[in-house]
Coordinates of all heavy atoms in Angstrom, one line a residue:
T17 N 129.3 182.2 122.5 CA 129.7 183.2 123.5 C 129.4 182.8 124.9 O 130.2 183.0 125.8 CB 128.9 184.6 123.2 OG1 129.2 184.9 121.9 CG2 129.3 185.7 124.1
A18 N 128.3 182.1 125.1 CA 128.0 181.5 126.5 C 129.1 180.5 126.9 O 129.6 180.5 128.0 CB 126.7 180.9 126.5
D19 N 129.6 179.7 125.9 CA 130.7 178.8 126.2 C 131.9 179.5 126.6 O 132.7 179.2 127.5 CB 130.9 177.9 125.0 CG 129.9 176.8 124.8 OD1 129.1 176.5 125.8 OD2 129.8 176.3 123.7
Y20 N 132.2 180.6 125.8 CA 133.4 181.4 126.0 C 133.3 182.0 127.4 O 134.3 182.0 128.2 CB 133.4 182.5 124.9 CG 134.4 183.7 125.2 CD1 135.7 183.5 125.0 CD2 133.9 184.9 125.5 CE1 136.6 184.6 125.2 CE2 134.7 186.0 125.7 CZ 136.1 185.8 125.5 OH 136.9 186.9 125.7
V21 N 132.2 182.5 127.8 CA 132.0 183.2 129.1 C 132.2 182.1 130.2 O 132.8 182.3 131.2 CB 130.7 183.9 129.2 CG1 130.4 184.3 130.6 CG2 130.7 185.1 128.3
N22 N 131.6 180.9 130.0 CA 131.7 179.9 131.0 C 133.1 179.4 131.2 O 133.5 179.0 132.3 CB 130.8 178.7 130.6 CG 129.3 178.9 131.0 OD1 129.0 179.5 132.0 ND2 128.4 178.4 130.2
E23 N 133.9 179.4 130.2 CA 135.3 179.1 130.3 C 136.0 180.1 131.3 O 137.0 179.7 132.0 CB 136.0 179.1 129.0 CG 135.7 177.9 128.1 CD 136.2 177.9 126.7 OE1 137.2 178.7 126.5 OE2 135.7 177.2 125.9
K24 N 135.6 181.3 131.3 CA 136.2 182.3 132.2 C 135.8 182.1 133.6 O 136.5 182.5 134.5 CB 135.8 183.7 131.8 CG 136.4 184.1 130.4 CD 136.0 185.5 129.9 CE 135.1 186.4 130.7 NZ 134.8 187.7 130.1
F25 N 134.8 181.3 133.8 CA 134.3 181.0 135.2 C 135.3 180.4 136.1 O 135.4 180.8 137.3 CB 133.0 180.1 135.1 CG 132.6 179.7 136.5 CD1 132.2 180.6 137.5 CD2 132.5 178.3 136.8 CE1 131.8 180.2 138.7 CE2 132.1 177.9 138.0 CZ 131.7 178.8 139.0
I26 N 136.1 179.6 135.6 CA 137.1 178.9 136.5 C 138.0 179.9 137.2 O 138.4 179.6 138.3 CB 137.9 177.8 135.6 CG1 138.6 176.8 136.6 CG2 138.9 178.5 134.8 CD1 137.7 175.9 137.2
S27 N 138.2 181.0 136.6 CA 139.0 182.0 137.3 C 138.4 182.6 138.6 O 139.1 183.2 139.4 CB 139.4 183.2 136.3 OG 138.2 183.9 136.0
Y28 N 137.1 182.4 138.8 CA 136.4 182.9 140.0 C 136.7 182.0 141.2 O 136.3 182.3 142.3 CB 134.9 183.0 139.7 CG 134.6 184.3 139.0 CD1 135.0 184.5 137.7 CD2 133.8 185.3 139.6 CE1 134.6 185.7 137.1 CE2 133.5 186.4 139.0 CZ 133.9 186.6 137.7 OH 133.6 187.8 137.1
F29 N 137.2 180.8 140.9 CA 137.4 179.9 142.0 C 138.8 180.1 142.7 O 139.8 180.3 142.0 CB 137.4 178.4 141.6 CG 136.0 177.8 141.5 CD1 135.3 177.7 140.4 CD2 135.4 177.5 142.7 CE1 134.0 177.2 140.3 CE2 134.1 177.0 142.7 CZ 133.4 176.8 141.5
D30 N 138.8 180.1 144.0 CA 140.1 180.2 144.7 C 140.7 178.9 144.9 O 141.9 178.8 144.9 CB 139.8 180.8 146.1 CG 139.3 182.2 146.1 OD1 139.6 182.9 145.2 OD2 138.5 182.5 147.0
K31 N 139.9 177.8 145.0 CA 140.5 176.5 145.3 C 140.9 175.8 144.0 O 140.4 176.0 142.9 CB 139.4 175.6 145.9 CG 139.0 176.0 147.3 CD 138.1 175.0 147.9 CE 138.8 174.0 148.7 NZ 137.9 173.1 149.4
D32 N 141.9 174.9 144.2 CA 142.3 174.0 143.1 C 141.2 173.0 142.9 O 140.7 172.4 143.8 CB 143.6 173.3 143.5 CG 144.1 172.4 142.5 OD1 143.5 171.3 142.4 OD2 145.1 172.7 141.8
V33 N 140.7 172.9 141.7 CA 139.6 172.0 141.3 C 139.9 170.6 141.8 O 139.0 169.9 142.3 CB 139.3 172.1 139.8 CG1 138.2 171.1 139.5 CG2 138.8 173.5 139.5
N34 N 141.1 170.1 141.6 CA 141.4 168.7 141.9 C 141.3 168.5 143.4 O 140.8 167.4 143.9 CB 142.8 168.3 141.4 CG 142.8 168.1 139.9 OD1 141.8 167.8 139.3 ND2 144.0 168.5 139.4
N35 N 141.7 169.5 144.2 CA 141.6 169.4 145.7 C 140.1 169.3 146.1 O 139.7 168.6 147.0 CB 142.3 170.5 146.4 CG 143.8 170.4 146.3 OD1 144.3 169.3 146.1 ND2 144.5 171.5 146.5
F36 N 139.3 170.1 145.4 CA 137.9 170.2 145.7 C 137.2 168.8 145.4 O 136.5 168.3 146.2 CB 137.3 171.3 144.8 CG 135.8 171.4 145.0 CD1 135.2 171.9 146.1 CD2 134.9 170.9 144.0 CE1 133.9 172.0 146.3 CE2 133.6 171.0 144.1 CZ 133.0 171.6 145.3
I37 N 137.6 168.2 144.3 CA 137.0 166.9 143.9 C 137.4 165.9 144.9 O 136.7 165.0 145.4 CB 137.4 166.5 142.5 CG1 136.6 167.5 141.5 CG2 137.0 165.1 142.2 CD1 137.1 167.4 140.1
E38 N 138.7 165.9 145.3 CA 139.2 165.0 146.3 C 138.5 165.2 147.7 O 138.2 164.2 148.4 CB 140.7 165.2 146.5 CG 141.4 164.1 147.3 CD 141.2 162.7 146.8 OE1 141.1 162.5 145.6 OE2 141.1 161.8 147.6
E39 N 138.2 166.4 148.0 CA 137.5 166.7 149.3 C 136.1 166.1 149.3 O 135.7 165.6 150.3 CB 137.4 168.2 149.4 CG 136.8 168.7 150.7 CD 136.8 170.2 150.8 OE1 137.8 170.8 150.7 OE2 135.6 170.7 150.9
I40 N 135.5 166.0 148.1 CA 134.2 165.3 148.1 C 134.3 163.9 148.4 O 133.5 163.3 149.1 CB 133.5 165.5 146.7 CG1 133.1 167.0 146.5 CG2 132.3 164.6 146.5 CD1 132.6 167.3 145.1
K41 N 135.4 163.3 147.9 CA 135.6 161.8 148.1 C 136.0 161.5 149.6 O 135.7 160.4 150.0 CB 136.7 161.3 147.2 CG 136.3 161.4 145.7 CD 137.5 161.0 144.9 CE 137.3 161.2 143.4 NZ 138.5 160.9 142.6
T42 N 136.6 162.4 150.3 CA 137.1 162.1 151.6 C 136.4 162.8 152.8 O 136.7 162.4 153.9 CB 138.6 162.5 151.6 OG1 138.8 163.9 151.4 CG2 139.4 161.7 150.6
S43 N 135.5 163.7 152.5 CA 134.8 164.4 153.6 C 133.9 163.4 154.4 O 133.5 162.4 153.8 CB 133.9 165.5 153.0 OG 134.6 166.5 152.5
K44 N 133.7 163.7 155.6 CA 132.8 163.0 156.4 C 131.4 163.2 155.8 O 131.1 164.3 155.4 CB 132.7 163.5 157.9 CG 134.0 163.2 158.6 CD 133.9 163.8 160.0 CE 135.2 163.9 160.7 NZ 135.1 164.6 162.0
L45 N 130.5 162.2 155.9 CA 129.2 162.4 155.3 C 128.4 163.5 155.9 O 127.7 164.2 155.2 CB 128.4 161.1 155.4 CG 128.7 160.0 154.4 CD1 127.8 158.8 154.6 CD2 128.6 160.5 153.0
E46 N 128.6 163.7 157.2 CA 127.8 164.8 157.9 C 128.3 166.2 157.4 O 127.6 167.2 157.5 CB 127.8 164.7 159.4 CG 129.2 164.7 160.0 CD 129.8 163.4 160.2 OE1 129.3 162.4 159.7 OE2 130.8 163.3 161.0
D47 N 129.5 166.3 156.8 CA 130.0 167.5 156.3 C 129.8 167.7 154.8 O 130.0 168.8 154.3 CB 131.5 167.6 156.6 CG 131.9 167.6 158.1 OD1 131.0 168.1 158.9 OD2 133.0 167.2 158.4
L48 N 129.3 166.7 154.2 CA 129.1 166.7 152.7 C 127.7 167.3 152.3 O 126.7 166.8 152.8 CB 129.3 165.3 152.2 CG 129.6 165.1 150.7 CD1 130.8 165.9 150.3 CD2 129.7 163.6 150.4

């Protein structure tokens, strides 16, 4: 049930996950 609930978590994000991961790779260090 916890796994089931955690799968629903992704719907709480506004951002596209791939964009978010890419942002980590390309952000300035002072902004990270």
Side-chain angles (χ1 to χ4, degrees):
T17 303
D19 287 342
Y20 167 75
V21 169
N22 279 325
E23 286 174 18
K24 291 179 2 182
F25 170 58
I26 198 71
S27 68
Y28 277 68
F29 274 104
D30 295 330
K31 288 184 99 171
D32 179 285
V33 174
N34 291 328
N35 287 341
F36 177 74
I37 292 169
E38 189 60 32
E39 188 177 297
I40 289 172
K41 295 176 185 174
T42 59
S43 291
K44 295 180 198 174
L45 282 181
E46 59 266 15
D47 295 334
L48 197 57

